[in-house]
Amino acid sequence: TAYEIKECDWSSDVCSSDLDGSINKIFLNNNFSTQDFDILWAPSNKKLLLTRGNFPVFNIESKRQETAIAKYIPSDIKDIVWDDFSDSEIYIRQNSGIYFFDLISKNKKLVLNKKTDQFLVKDNNIYIIEKINNDNYLNIYHDNKIIKSISVPVASIYEFVNLNNNSIYLHDQKHNILYSIDPWSIFPIQDSINGVKNFSLDRKSV
């Protein structure tokens, strides 16, 4: 079953509806502020994580809060990304690097000992942009070791976009260029599209 976010009173609840039109409503019992936040859907679309308050994780089917990330990692959460396969695994960016966190065992493990502004997780690999001698590289890490480095055009701000296919998409936010990259191809940069001001998924538009 697929779910999507519907319009609701964001100060009190998050709503979801399934394909037959019935509404499921998850009430937030936390005293959240009104700051902007993201809704991160797990790979199966059966769980969601809110990037605000204590970072609660909700189960759509049971309509209950399963856990709160801040209970185990109380500070310095800069970014959270779901594993691209498992509903029980997330990756957390902190000042000291990127950590793997198991929602079941509550175990935390450092998987990339590097500071970075953003990252992407795909097939148990971590993708980051690194600047070396004024050149930009899309570097792929596994178990804290680099396994591939791809030269990409110089840009001051890149945004990762994951379309859940074999390609990686990099959005040059300053020059409004979207790059399609196949990291395992002989010629990784497959295509580029100019004039793309905004590019994101699900409940946002290009």
Side-chain angles (χ1 to χ4, degrees):
T1 302
Y3 295 86
E4 60 179 345
I5 292 298
K6 294 294 186 181
E7 293 295 329
C8 27
D9 180 1
W10 291 99
S11 64
S12 61
D13 56 50
V14 170
C15 301
S16 65
S17 69
D18 57 26
L19 292 180
D20 65 10
S22 61
I23 299 295
N24 292 306
K25 186 176 291 186
I26 301 173
F27 291 94
L28 306 183
N29 54 11
N30 303 79
N31 185 22
F32 291 127
S33 68
T34 57
Q35 66 184 13
D36 292 338
F37 67 99
D38 291 324
I39 299 171
L40 307 180
W41 289 90
S44 70
N45 288 328
K46 294 180 180 179
K47 294 183 182 181
L48 62 84
L49 186 155
L50 302 184
T51 61
R52 64 186 248 176
N54 59 4
F55 298 89
V57 177
F58 291 94
N59 187 306
I60 295 294
E61 295 182 329
S62 69
K63 305 179 183 66
R64 294 182 180 276
Q65 179 177 327
E66 288 192 345
T67 189
I69 306 305
K71 180 179 179 181
Y72 305 95
I73 305 174
S75 62
D76 188 30
I77 297 178
K78 305 300 183 185
D79 194 12
I80 297 179
V81 173
W82 282 99
D83 181 77
D84 60 346
F85 178 77
S86 173
D87 279 10
S88 62
E89 299 174 353
I90 61 173
Y91 292 80
I92 299 172
R93 179 171 64 87
Q94 298 185 278
N95 281 332
S96 55
I98 298 174
Y99 292 82
F100 167 86
F101 184 73
D102 190 310
L103 295 174
I104 298 175
S105 67
K106 307 301 188 292
N107 288 331
K108 176 185 173 184
K109 174 186 176 183
L110 179 66
V111 292
L112 183 59
N113 188 22
K114 281 182 174 291
K115 291 184 178 181
T116 180
D117 292 332
Q118 60 174 305
F119 68 101
L120 177 72
V121 176
K122 199 175 187 68
D123 299 326
N124 293 318
N125 297 320
I126 296 176
Y127 294 72
I128 65 172
I129 295 293
E130 293 188 273
K131 191 170 185 178
I132 303 174
N133 297 327
N134 295 320
D135 293 323
N136 280 2
Y137 294 88
L138 172 62
N139 288 337
I140 308 172
Y141 288 86
H142 186 82
D143 289 336
N144 213 23
K145 297 179 180 179
I146 190 167
I147 60 174
K148 189 161 186 179
S149 182
I150 301 167
S151 177
V152 295
V154 175
S156 57
I157 303 176
Y158 269 123
E159 177 188 18
F160 283 107
V161 181
N162 189 0
L163 288 178
N164 296 320
N165 56 26
N166 292 330
S167 295
I168 302 295
Y169 295 88
L170 286 179
H171 182 214
D172 179 344
Q173 295 179 312
K174 181 177 180 179
H175 300 101
N176 299 328
I177 304 173
L178 180 68
Y179 295 97
S180 171
I181 299 174
D182 181 348
W184 310 112
S185 170
I186 298 176
F187 304 103
I189 298 181
Q190 304 285 296
D191 198 5
S192 63
I193 304 173
N194 294 311
V196 180
K197 294 184 178 180
N198 296 291
F199 186 85
S200 55
L201 301 176
D202 297 332
R203 290 152 293 279
K204 301 176 184 178
S205 58
V206 177

